[in-house]
C-alpha cells in the first residue's frame, strides 16, 4: 500500500506495508509511478518526502509475487512490458519537479535502494543498511538504476555494491556519497521533514529548474546505455542459476551455481 499526505507545501509518500517489511508489489510500484506523475502538476507542493512505515524502509521486490508470476508466465511481449515497470517508476520519481528527500531506516535493498537513488537527497537512520541483492537470485540490476548509482558513487563502488549483493552500513555509504546525512533513528522523520521545509521555503521555480538541469547533465546517457536491462532480466530469469537461486532462497541454503 502507498499513501500520500499533503500538508503545508510538503507531500509525503509512504511505503505502507510494514507487516511485510514494505516488500514492493507490482501494484505498489504502479501507485508510486502514478503518484509521482500526479505530483508534477501539483502547484501547492514544493517538496516531497519519501519514507517507509515500520522498522524497514523496504526489503525490495516481493519475491513471493515474483515466484507466482514465474509459475504462470505471461506471453513474452506482456512479460516484457511488466519488466519495464521499475524503469518507469524510476523515471517518474526522478521526474518529480519538486525536490525529493528520501528517509531510509532499517533495511533497504534491491528496488527500494533503486527508488532511494532516484530521489534528490537521502537521509538515513543510524544502523540502517542498504544494498542490491539481485545477484544473489541470479539476476541483473534493472530499472535503469545503474545510472543514478554510478553518478552518486562512481563505477568501482557501484560494482562492489551490485556485484556482491552485500548490505552496506550507512556510515560507509555516507563516505561514498550515497547517503547525504546520518541521523538518530528517532529523529529521521523529523529531520526529513525539516529538510523538505527548508527546500520548500526557497523560490520554487529556480529550485525546480536547477534540479532539472543537474539531472539532465548527470543522466544524459542513461536511456541510451540502459535501455536493455529489462531484456537482460528476462534472459536471466530463463537460466538454471535463477531457478537454483530461488530454490536456495526458499530453502534457506547456499546456492549451487553452474553458470547455465
Amino acid at each position: 500500500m502507498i499513501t500520500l499526505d499533503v500538508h503545508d507545501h510538503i507531500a509525503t509518500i509512504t511505503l505502507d506495508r510494514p507487516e511485510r517489511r514494505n516488500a514492493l508489489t507490482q501494484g505498489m510500484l504502479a501507485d508510486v509511478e502514478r503518484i509521482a506523475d500526479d505530483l508534477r502538476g501539483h502547484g501547492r507542493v514544493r517538496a516531497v518526502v519519501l519514507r517507509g512505515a515500520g522498522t524497514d524502509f523496504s526489503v525490495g521486490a516481493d519475491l513471493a509475487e515474483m515466484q507466482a508470476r514465474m509459475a504462470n508466465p505471461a506471453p513474452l511481449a506482456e512479460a516484457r512490458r511488466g519488466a519495464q515497470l521499475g524503469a518507469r517508476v524510476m523515471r517518474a520519481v526522478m521526474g518529480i519537479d519538486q525536490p525529493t528527500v528520501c528517509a531510509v531506516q532499517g533495511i533497504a535493498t534491491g528496488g527500494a535502494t533503486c527508488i532511494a537513488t532516484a530521489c534528490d537527497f537521502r537521509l538515513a537512520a543510524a544502523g540502517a543498511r542498504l544494498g542490491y541483492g539481485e545477484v544473489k537470485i541470479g539476476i541483473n540490476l534493472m530499472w535503469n538504476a545503474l545510472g543514478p548509482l554510478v553518478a552518486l558513487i562512481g563505477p568501482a563502488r557501484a560494482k562492489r555494491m551490485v556485484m556482491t549483493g552485500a548490505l552496506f552500513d550507512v556510515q560507509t555509504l555516507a563516505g561514498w556519497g550515497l547517503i547525504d546525512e546520518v541521523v538518530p533513528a528517532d529523529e529521521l522523520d523529523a529531520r526529513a521533514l525539516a529538510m523538505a521545509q527548508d527546500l520548500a521555503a526557497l523560490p520554487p521555480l529556480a529550485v525546480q529548474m536547477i534540479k532539472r538541469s543537474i539531472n539532465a547533465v548527470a543522466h544524459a546517457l542513461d536511456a541510451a546505455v540502459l535501455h536493455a536491462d529489462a531484456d537482460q532480466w528476462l534472459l536471466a530469469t530463463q537460466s538454471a542459476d535463477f531457478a537454483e537461486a530461488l530454490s536456495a532462497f526458499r530453502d534457506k541454503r547456499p546456492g549451487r551455481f553452474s553458470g547455465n
Side-chain angles (χ1 to χ4, degrees):
M1 179 179 181
I2 307 295
T3 63
L4 174 67
D5 177 69
V6 178
H7 182 71
D8 288 344
H9 299 299
I10 308 296
T12 301
I13 304 170
T14 300
L15 311 179
D16 197 5
R17 198 188 180 202
E19 72 283 0
R20 293 296 303 275
R21 302 174 72 191
N22 296 322
L24 299 167
T25 65
Q26 295 289 97
M28 290 170 69
L29 293 175
D31 284 344
V32 172
E33 180 188 19
R34 174 183 53 79
I35 289 169
D37 285 340
D38 289 347
L39 283 173
R40 295 183 65 182
H42 202 307
R44 190 161 65 88
V45 171
R46 294 189 177 186
V48 178
V49 173
L50 178 62
R51 60 182 297 277
T55 58
D56 295 299
F57 178 68
S58 169
V59 293
D62 188 318
L63 290 183
E65 184 185 62
M66 180 187 294
Q67 287 177 306
R69 290 201 310 273
M70 296 300 168
N72 297 282
L76 184 57
E78 182 180 336
R80 189 169 185 262
R81 287 193 296 272
Q84 294 167 345
L85 173 58
R88 296 201 305 271
V89 172
M90 293 289 285
R91 287 194 295 271
V93 174
M94 293 177 70
I96 294 173
D97 289 328
Q98 302 90 335
T100 52
V101 179
C102 187
V104 179
Q105 80 282 11
I107 298 297
T109 188
T113 304
C114 295
I115 290 173
T117 64
C119 293
D120 299 313
F121 307 100
R122 284 151 297 283
L123 307 181
R129 294 184 297 160
L130 292 80
Y132 300 91
E134 284 79 0
V135 69
K136 293 184 176 181
I137 56 170
I139 57 176
N140 60 302
L141 179 64
M142 48 189 299
W143 291 24
N144 293 180
L146 281 174
L149 179 64
V150 173
L152 286 168
I153 67 175
R157 288 166 174 166
K159 289 174 186 176
R160 186 172 172 185
M161 287 193 76
V162 180
M163 291 171 69
T164 67
L167 290 171
F168 291 80
D169 67 85
V170 288
Q171 294 293 349
T172 296
L173 295 177
W176 289 0
L178 184 64
I179 297 298
D180 295 286
E181 189 175 332
V182 180
V183 300
D186 60 355
E187 298 176 14
L188 179 63
D189 283 336
R191 179 68 188 106
L193 178 60
M195 188 175 192
Q197 289 170 333
D198 289 345
L199 292 163
L202 295 167
L205 182 60
V207 167
Q208 292 175 26
M209 288 191 297
I210 291 166
K211 168 180 173 169
R212 183 175 293 274
S213 295
I214 291 173
N215 280 353
V217 171
H219 305 295
L221 295 177
D222 285 7
V225 174
L226 300 172
H227 68 279
D229 65 1
D231 293 329
Q232 292 170 344
W233 179 85
L234 287 170
L235 176 63
T237 59
Q238 304 304 308
S239 69
D241 279 352
F242 173 71
E244 165 62 10
L246 287 183
S247 177
F249 178 84
R250 182 186 61 245
D251 298 341
K252 296 181 172 57
R253 60 171 175 80
R256 297 179 290 272
F257 302 116
S258 65
N260 294 317

